[in-house]
Amino acid sequence: AQSFYQTYFKDDGVGLASARAGNVIGGGDWAADRLVPDFFRALDGGQTLHIRNPGLIRPWQHVLEPVCGYLTLAERLYEAPSHYSGEWNFGPRDEDCKPVSWMAGYLASQTPVTIEHELTVNDKEARLLKLDSSKAKAELGWGGRLSVEEAL
């Protein structure tokens, strides 16, 4: 994206930014192989929840958190294209980066039903994923508002 920006847009005063978010949870996410939707499908169907890599730590956040960041970035990019062009990360606070097993356990603690789960380990995935959102916090005044518990 930066190469494209430098080549075609920078001298014309057009802005271009790329943005990414941590693991999002929240309404509208019913994709397969995603922990929260899989949890509710298993709960609803009385099935076993298959948890892949329970010890891996992921940056969980409600989908509205990065959407707020994206909209703020778009507004600033419109106002000052050259200043806000570039790469941006929108991730949760450090304390909201939780292991997969914690997420499944928290969800289970909030339901009246005991859910059985089956664990699978794949050593090919990174143990810890985390985004450095300090640029978004400093330059956009963006920051997550919901804890992972509130998001769930």
Side-chain angles (χ1 to χ4, degrees), residues 112-132:
V113 177
T114 301
I115 189 162
E116 294 182 26
H117 58 274
E118 196 174 278
L119 306 176
T120 306
V121 177
N122 174 350
D123 292 332
K124 294 179 183 177
E125 291 188 57
R127 172 144 172 69
L128 170 66
L129 291 182
K130 205 164 129 180
L131 292 175
D132 179 359

Side-chain angles (χ1 to χ4, degrees), residues 33-61:
D33 298 322
R34 307 253 310 140
L35 180 60
V36 176
D38 286 351
F39 176 87
F40 286 105
R41 276 191 286 272
L43 183 65
D44 187 49
Q47 301 168 346
T48 300
L49 173 65
H50 298 278
I51 299 175
R52 198 178 74 245
N53 298 316
L56 300 186
I57 299 169
R58 297 294 181 251
W60 309 97
Q61 62 187 336

Side-chain angles (χ1 to χ4, degrees), residues 25 35-36 39-40 49 51 60 98-113 115 117 147-152:
I25 54 179
L35 180 60
V36 176
F39 176 87
F40 286 105
L49 173 65
I51 299 175
W60 309 97
K98 302 281 189 190
V100 171
S101 60
W102 183 94
M103 293 288 287
Y106 184 84
L107 286 168
S109 75
Q110 303 300 305
T111 64
V113 177
I115 189 162
H117 58 274
S147 69
V148 70
E149 293 90 351
E150 292 169 315
L152 287 169

